[in-house]
Amino acid sequence: MTEATSMLLARLHAAGLTDVGAVEPASGGLAATAGLARRADGTPLFVKAFGEPPADDAFATEAEGLRVLREAGGAVTPEVVLAERDLLVLSVLRPRPDTEAFWEECAHAVAHLHTATAHHRFGWHRDNWLGRRRQVNTWTDDGFEFFARHRLLRWLEEPRVREALDAADRRALERLCDRLPELLPDRPACLTHGDLWAQNVMAAPDGRPALIDPAVSYTWAEVDLAHLWTTAPPPEARVFFERYAAVLTRAGGNGCPSSSCVSTWP
């Protein structure tokens, strides 16, 4: 085993899962070390850990996000076997098939998530994590204020952002935030995955689309749509946006983005 998989095995044993004999590396993770394991009875497990967790609650908030996506939004997510400070253990999913039929089914699932979870405020009851970066979720009544303060301006003090943006860039972003009510329609909040790019869409054992690695909050549905749109989804995913728009048209919107926002593929 590699040093990384040896670390995962040691943490599994420390957590009481001593019947796991080995861990194989798993690809796809950007912030944490991930692996695949199998218990003595044959049950497969997906395990991941940070070398040093960014906070004591990083995996607890991820596990909570998986649960609420499933229970409140009807999304398919992996089952949480164990969530501790140093280790997250989940049921195993399958790689997604990049077919139009799969992405069409995914569109129905995400549209249901958004339309079934309208909320009167923006935020979440606690902060959570985008990889190793804290996502600020302070409850806010106004969507424009929430997005400006906690999804844009919040990053200005991060070291890498301070290096990348000069004073003129910062002023331009601040002016953009001031103009958000002029540029965007006033939309209600709904439960969002928060990190919905193609790598976080997998398949359940029965083939249904399944979501992983959430950073949930109540905010504009467009946050999920824009994330998927701008992170190089496969060509077959164009049907996602077409079908999502069609579902919203039939539903009469119901608090989600207008179908015109999502009806064209770049």
Side-chain angles (χ1 to χ4, degrees):
M1 288 192 293
T2 66
E3 180 179 349
T5 53
S6 294
M7 179 266 286
L8 292 175
L9 182 62
R11 293 194 181 178
L12 282 166
H13 288 178
L17 298 177
T18 56
D19 60 339
V20 175
V23 179
E24 298 177 358
S27 60
L30 297 179
T33 299
L36 295 171
R38 191 173 296 274
R39 305 197 71 172
D41 64 1
T43 302
L45 302 172
F46 176 83
V47 299
K48 72 176 186 178
F50 294 100
E52 181 59 37
D56 290 347
D57 66 347
F59 286 142
T61 57
E62 181 174 340
E64 179 186 53
L66 293 171
R67 177 183 57 79
V68 74
L69 287 173
R70 180 172 62 251
E71 294 180 358
V76 178
T77 62
E79 295 291 335
V80 177
V81 178
L82 182 72
E84 296 188 344
R85 176 187 181 276
D86 295 315
L87 186 69
L88 181 67
V89 183
L90 305 172
S91 62
V92 173
L93 299 175
R94 294 165 43 189
R96 70 169 190 273
D98 279 327
T99 63
E100 289 194 351
F102 177 86
W103 282 104
E104 181 173 354
E105 187 174 359
C106 185
H108 280 275
V110 174
H112 177 77
L113 166 66
H114 291 161
T115 57
T117 57
H119 200 273
H120 66 287
R121 301 185 75 194
F122 293 77
W124 190 243
H125 69 97
R126 61 177 175 179
D127 293 349
N128 46 30
W129 297 85
L130 281 164
R132 300 190 66 89
R133 305 295 180 187
R134 180 178 292 277
Q135 177 170 270
V136 178
N137 294 321
T138 306
W139 286 114
T140 309
D141 292 328
D142 182 87
F144 301 111
E145 179 185 355
F146 177 80
F147 191 76
R149 180 180 297 180
H150 301 309
R151 293 297 180 266
L152 295 178
L153 299 178
R154 167 263 180 274
W155 297 102
L156 287 179
E157 299 311 312
E158 290 289 329
R160 292 178 64 184
V161 177
R162 290 173 65 91
E163 293 175 6
L165 301 184
D166 61 19
D169 294 326
R170 296 168 70 91
R171 287 194 299 271
L173 182 60
E174 290 165 354
R175 287 196 299 270
L176 173 65
C177 288
D178 289 339
R179 294 190 59 205
L180 286 179
E182 305 170 30
L183 301 173
L184 300 175
D186 188 10
R187 308 297 302 173
C190 64
L191 183 65
T192 58
H193 177 281
D195 194 12
L196 189 66
W197 66 306
Q199 291 298 101
N200 285 343
V201 180
M202 299 188 69
D206 62 5
R208 289 180 297 163
L211 305 180
I212 63 170
D213 291 351
V216 299
S217 68
Y218 286 103
T219 186
W220 294 323
E222 287 90 345
V223 169
D224 279 347
L225 303 178
H227 205 155
L228 183 59
W229 186 295
T230 59
T231 51
E236 295 83 1
R238 69 172 297 148
V239 73
F240 173 96
F241 300 97
E242 298 167 354
R243 183 53 55 193
Y244 184 100
V247 171
L248 261 63
T249 298
R250 290 200 301 271
N254 195 26
C256 288
S258 65
S259 60
S260 62
C261 295
V262 293
S263 61
T264 53
W265 178 260

